[in-house]
Amino acid sequence: MAAPEVHHLFHSPIADHSFSADRELLAVARENNVELYSHTGNRFALKDELKGHEKVVTSVDIAPQTGKIVTCSQDRNAYVWEPSPTGWRPTLVLLRINRAATFVRWAPSERKFAVGSGARVIAVCYFEEENDWWVSKHLKKPIRSTITSIAWHPNSVLLAAGSTDAHARVFSGFIKGVDSRPEPSVWGERLPFNTVCGEFLNGSAGWVHGCAFSPSGDALAFAAHDSSVTVVYPSGPEQPPKAVVSVTTQLLPFMSLIWNGESEIIAAGYDCEAYRLRGDENGWQLVGSLENKSRPGLADRGEESALNMFKQLDLKGKAKNDTQLKTVHQNSINTIRSYEEDASGHVKRFSTSGVDGRVVIWNV
């Protein structure tokens, strides 16, 4: 496997990142701002900054077709940024929440997006032409705590949400006049707004950190704080699931995950590296890490001189500096995203970002 492409942007945590469809623009959530980097040669150079939020930006997403950028923040606001001759023009979104906005993602149709929050609601936002602004409808029941992650179904109507109340839920986010009626699926047929199509509890009552639908939309995976990944295969509307497969690992918890086809999941989190899981409704298992720990440059850098060794022992009480991790990321990974896919929907490359200020592009 080819070596990963590492971009160490700065020495601050990256809350979230997103690439444009042509992969020439990278948006990174850094403290109160979103930094935009352009691809020049084999590196990313700072091109612009989106300033407008008063508190920490928690999430960012670039719409693949339109190129619009949506951001949300602990200041309880979300903005949609559109390119204009004078730069990026922000439009405030009427979220109507009284706690921090925690997560945002565009629907595949790009006609709406969903914002998770600490107010125990998900704001499904859409553009109202007559008033020329973005408004929201709230998904409320039966959410009992902060929303940590959101994932859209390929039909742009259903969405999954992970929460700190240890549940992953599937809701209908159908907006009349915006969405066309979806085809019947294993999640349901008639889907008015706020229909709960599925509610799944983590076995250890751990926070759900990340969730994702499979490419077909017929399975849901979610990662929780008990270091498990659970895959749900629904059987039909108002029916118990065909299978619920939970993989408990001896690793630290995963924060984010993506599907690679229908039978593979790539997940990453507090262990600072990405792991591969494979399986189907009969069972899943952890295959292993995607990293090659014996990469060039990670091996010990030859024998050090005796003088230098004793100098290190005198200064630090040890001969070698063991603060460097053997992984590419030097701190936990917050976000994993698909970077490049083939025609069949399989991931060829994916990107990760984390607390160490790095964005890394991996080959599968």
Side-chain angles (χ1 to χ4, degrees), residues 243-294:
V244 179
V245 183
S246 191
V247 181
T248 305
T249 70
Q250 298 300 308
L251 306 167
L252 295 176
F254 297 120
M255 287 292 288
S256 185
L257 51 82
I258 57 170
W259 286 78
N260 180 17
E262 295 288 327
S263 58
E264 184 171 287
I265 291 169
I266 301 169
Y270 288 105
D271 255 316
C272 314
E273 56 185 315
Y275 287 87
R276 202 191 300 258
L277 297 96
R278 287 201 186 111
D280 53 29
E281 56 193 76
N282 299 313
W284 280 78
Q285 62 180 18
L286 181 72
V287 177
S289 171
L290 274 89
E291 285 198 38
N292 176 11
K293 296 295 194 327
S294 59

Side-chain angles (χ1 to χ4, degrees), residues 6 33 47 59 97 127 142 204 233 253 263 283 323:
V6 184
N33 303 322
K47 176 186 175 185
S59 193
I97 57 175
F127 193 69
S204 305
Y233 293 92
S263 58
T323 58

